Amino acid sequence: MEPGEIPDTNSGRQQKKDYHRKRKSFSSPTRLNKRLKEESVESVEDNFATKENQKLEFLKEEIEEFFDQQNALNEEAEIEKRRKERMEILKKHKQDNNEVEAVSDVQKIKSLNDDNGYDLLPSKEPIVPQVDDEDSDEDGDDMFSENFKIEENVKITADGREKTTLVENYDDHEGYYKTIMGEMMDERYLITSHLGRGVFSSVIKATDTKTKQNVAIKVLRNNETMYKAGLKELKFLKSLMEKDPTKTKFVVSFLGHFEHRNHLCLVFEHLSMNLREVLKTFGRNNGLHLNAVKVYAHQLFLALSLLKKCDIIHADIKPDNMLVNEQKNILKLADFGSAGNLVEVEITPYVVSRFYRAPEIILGLPYNYAIDVWSVGCTLYELYTGRILFTGSNNNQMLKQIMQTKGKFPLKMLKKGMYAHHHFDESDNFTFLSQEYDKIMQQEVTKRIKFYKPVCDIKGNLSQLDVFHDEKNRLLLFQFIDFLEKCLNLNPEKRISPEEALIHPFITM
């Protein structure tokens, strides 16, 4: 500004108006939808990702306080359980002593022992449970144990003689790698424990001797099919990491890969536990605090937005495949062993774990990213209530439970479904054919059922759990119900998208 020049107050007012206009755009879903159309989705998502840390800090104390309280309750329950066990032992011990004192003749006691084969006196030796080697997860894991075998490989030489060589048996009969505690993998990863196994692989915990950090190593089974599946997963992981260099999209961090004794090994950051374990520990039959569910929902849909950018469908979202940190306030999507590209979709009725399987999969319709949204909706319901939403014993009973909660399917879906005729009678206006087991007749029977409206909808189920006494938290619950309804829309074309989910009032409030 030149000396003596009068400042332009109009420009200041205009800047202030622009500021408030932009601020309002984040408070109104209608304006946000318009903004998403005008601007790139990526810029809006990045804005939310930046604000995520602020939201986490804001809710961190409340979430940590919830988990601390649950820890205290669990400890008290464990102490009470042990106290009752001690009382039972003392009571039984006292009864045994009374029985012994009632027998005055020592020779009579000896006679009873000899004749009946048991001792009236309580044993002072600890009872050691018998372990079946075949059922043990650690069978053959220790190279110094008796179960670790060295196989003989016999070859016939040119002169007809047998030549025997020793081959180390590092795999079990199913091709899983036998974890050896203290073994060094890839000259840097020191194995410390066995975390578990799935259909495709086993997972071990190790210490990275270069960074001094704990890592989780996914060891694929030793066969050609699993190796190819591992290479496919590796491709997806690299794509996700390239699209998320700042690691703000809440997908588990992929650190590298290597091969070890004919096994493909994928290295990830190590996280505390999965959501299934969180529910068992902190929310059995009761669920988690709604604020914790809200934070997890926000993070999950940021992860889904990243997958959509990479044209990846996870196809196995469930609490077991979501990992949390030690403080339980950061969640990351994991396990891309079942993932696929949108262009590679093959219609099959058995994609995704059954309880989290979208109806379009069961009906045999072409599917897309919407199947992951359905799985997240089922998971969020389970997190809040502590109960699985749909528990059908097969695909047919899954459809029955879905219609009991969401009502009948649109005729358009049933007419286009490749497998719809397995579950509906097309000649009778698509009456549902419920395949059930009759306990009286002791055989499978087919019952014809017509669905018109939900028998027990999500709103009714969750309204019964309304424990909030203040208006703000009650409003949050109603927004959560609306959020779930949009995630679990029967029509995948009308189901909420990751971009729309990130601007829903349940997330933004």
Side-chain angles (χ1 to χ4, degrees):
M1 184 185 300
E2 295 294 330
E5 184 181 348
I6 299 173
D8 185 3
T9 55
N10 290 331
S11 63
R13 291 195 189 98
Q14 186 62 39
Q15 290 177 1
K16 190 174 182 180
K17 286 181 181 179
D18 292 342
Y19 167 77
H20 285 294
R21 179 178 57 79
K22 290 180 180 179
R23 185 178 179 183
K24 286 181 180 178
S25 70
F26 281 97
S27 61
S28 168
T30 304
R31 291 191 179 109
L32 271 175
N33 279 324
K34 184 178 179 182
R35 179 186 175 124
L36 276 173
K37 294 177 182 178
E38 294 175 349
E39 300 181 13
S40 66
V41 174
E42 185 173 357
S43 63
V44 178
E45 288 178 2
D46 290 341
N47 186 290
F48 279 110
T50 303
K51 290 186 176 182
E52 178 61 25
N53 291 330
Q54 298 174 359
K55 284 196 170 189
L56 283 175
E57 290 300 322
F58 180 76
L59 295 172
K60 183 177 179 181
E61 292 184 4
E62 189 170 354
I63 295 174
E64 288 186 358
E65 182 181 352
F66 165 76
F67 284 112
D68 288 342
Q69 290 174 353
Q70 293 299 316
N71 267 326
L73 291 173
N74 290 342
E75 289 177 3
E76 291 177 5
E78 186 65 23
I79 292 172
E80 180 65 18
K81 179 182 176 182
R82 292 180 181 178
R83 187 186 69 79
K84 289 181 179 180
E85 288 176 350
R86 286 198 298 270
M87 293 296 294
E88 290 294 327
I89 292 172
L90 289 173
K91 185 178 179 181
K92 185 177 184 304
H93 210 67
K94 185 176 180 181
Q95 290 175 350
D96 290 342
N97 287 336
N98 289 340
E99 288 179 8
V100 174
E101 290 174 1
V103 182
S104 57
D105 191 347
V106 177
Q107 186 63 35
K108 186 177 180 181
I109 296 175
K110 184 176 183 302
S111 175
L112 283 171
N113 288 337
D114 293 341
D115 294 341
N116 299 316
Y118 62 85
D119 191 354
L120 294 180
L121 294 172
S123 172
K124 295 182 180 180
E125 296 181 3
I127 299 175
V128 180
Q130 298 296 321
V131 180
D132 187 353
D133 289 340
E134 292 182 358
D135 296 333
S136 174
D137 288 339
E138 301 299 329
D139 183 22
D141 287 352
D142 186 357
M143 65 184 298
F144 297 104
S145 72
E146 295 179 358
N147 297 323
F148 190 81
K149 300 177 181 178
I150 302 293
E151 294 183 345
E152 290 186 348
N153 186 18
V154 180
K155 294 182 179 180
I156 306 298
T157 61
D159 55 1
R161 292 183 301 174
E162 291 185 354
K163 182 180 179 181
T164 303
T165 58
L166 298 181
V167 179
E168 294 170 324
N169 182 19
Y170 291 104
D171 300 343
D172 66 11
H173 65 285
E174 294 180 304
Y176 289 99
Y177 185 70
K178 293 182 179 179
T179 307
I180 303 174
M181 301 305 158
E183 182 185 13
M184 188 73 73
M185 302 180 77
D186 199 34
E187 300 182 351
R188 65 181 292 183
Y189 302 110
L190 182 66
I191 298 178
T192 56
S193 65
H194 177 81
L195 297 178
R197 65 167 55 176
V199 177
F200 298 99
S201 62
S202 57
V203 183
I204 59 180
K205 182 180 177 181
T207 300
D208 187 342
T209 57
K210 292 185 179 181
T211 63
K212 309 302 180 185
Q213 300 294 319
N214 289 330
V215 297
I217 303 177
K218 183 175 182 178
V219 185
L220 278 297
R221 289 168 62 183
N222 186 9
N223 65 57
E224 187 177 355
T225 302
M226 300 303 173
Y227 186 83
K228 288 181 178 179
L231 291 177
K232 186 177 179 181
E233 182 178 0
L234 176 60
K235 182 183 69 173
F236 291 148
L237 291 168
K238 287 181 176 180
S239 175
L240 291 168
M241 294 302 104
E242 288 174 3
K243 289 283 186 179
D244 183 28
T246 58
K247 295 183 174 64
T248 56
K249 297 296 185 181
F250 301 97
V251 171
V252 64
S253 296
F254 173 62
L255 305 178
H257 71 284
F258 60 91
E259 291 194 21
H260 182 75
R261 306 191 193 281
N262 296 322
H263 292 268
L264 177 61
C265 302
L266 308 177
V267 186
F268 301 91
E269 64 175 319
H270 179 264
L271 291 166
S272 176
M273 61 175 70
N274 63 46
L275 274 191
R276 181 78 64 198
E277 295 168 329
V278 171
L279 270 175
K280 287 181 179 178
T281 307
F282 302 102
R284 183 185 293 273
N285 298 325
N286 295 318
L288 305 179
H289 194 283
L290 190 55
N291 275 334
V293 177
K294 174 181 177 178
V295 172
Y296 290 159
H298 193 163
Q299 296 169 347
L300 279 171
F301 276 100
L302 282 169
L304 290 191
S305 70
L306 175 63
L307 265 66
K308 190 173 180 180
K309 286 180 186 177
C310 300
D311 293 328
I312 296 174
I313 302 172
H314 187 283
D316 196 20
I317 290 180
K318 55 185 177 180
D320 314 73
N321 292 335
M322 303 171 186
L323 307 177
V324 296
N325 63 347
E326 194 69 36
Q327 293 76 28
K328 315 295 184 300
N329 60 1
I330 299 289
L331 175 148
K332 294 194 176 184
L333 188 59
D335 197 347
F336 290 81
S338 301
N341 279 114
L342 184 62
V343 295
E344 299 174 348
V345 167
E346 294 181 7
I347 297 179
T348 170
Y350 300 111
V351 178
V352 187
S353 297
R354 187 171 66 251
F355 296 160
Y356 310 90
R357 186 176 294 156
E360 59 264 32
I361 297 174
I362 302 174
L363 294 175
L365 290 162
Y367 57 86
N368 54 25
Y369 314 107
I371 67 169
D372 286 342
V373 175
W374 177 278
S375 300
V376 169
C378 295
T379 299
L380 295 178
Y381 178 94
E382 188 174 341
L383 292 181
Y384 181 61
T385 63
R387 301 190 299 269
I388 298 174
L389 179 55
F390 304 117
T391 57
S393 57
N394 52 46
N395 275 345
N396 180 269
Q397 293 304 294
M398 282 293 294
L399 290 176
K400 179 182 177 180
Q401 291 191 15
I402 289 171
M403 287 188 288
Q404 287 174 339
T405 303
K406 298 293 296 178
K408 63 179 181 179
F409 288 99
L411 285 178
K412 183 180 178 181
M413 289 182 64
L414 298 180
K415 289 178 180 179
K416 289 185 176 181
M418 187 181 296
Y419 308 122
H421 65 280
H422 294 165
H423 311 286
F424 295 87
D425 185 353
E426 299 178 18
S427 62
D428 187 18
N429 199 25
F430 288 94
T431 299
F432 181 64
L433 306 174
S434 181
Q435 300 162 9
E436 304 174 12
Y437 182 77
D438 191 308
K439 294 182 180 179
I440 297 177
M441 299 177 65
Q442 294 187 350
Q443 64 181 15
E444 294 286 339
V445 297
T446 300
K447 297 182 179 180
R448 305 172 69 85
I449 305 175
K450 289 189 177 183
F451 288 94
Y452 297 101
K453 59 181 180 179
V455 179
C456 49
D457 61 3
I458 292 174
K459 183 178 180 180
N461 289 340
L462 295 187
S463 297
Q464 296 175 3
L465 302 176
D466 185 2
V467 295
F468 298 117
H469 302 290
D470 60 289
E471 193 62 30
K472 181 180 178 182
N473 284 318
R474 187 172 287 111
L475 176 61
L476 183 63
L477 175 61
F478 292 150
Q479 289 172 344
F480 177 56
I481 292 172
D482 181 71
F483 188 72
L484 285 183
E485 293 286 3
K486 287 179 168 59
C487 289
L488 299 172
N489 195 308
L490 291 178
N491 188 344
E493 296 177 1
K494 297 181 179 180
R495 205 169 295 157
I496 195 170
S497 69
E499 297 83 12
E500 293 168 340
L502 289 171
I503 60 176
H504 189 279
F506 175 65
I507 298 294
T508 59
M509 179 179 174

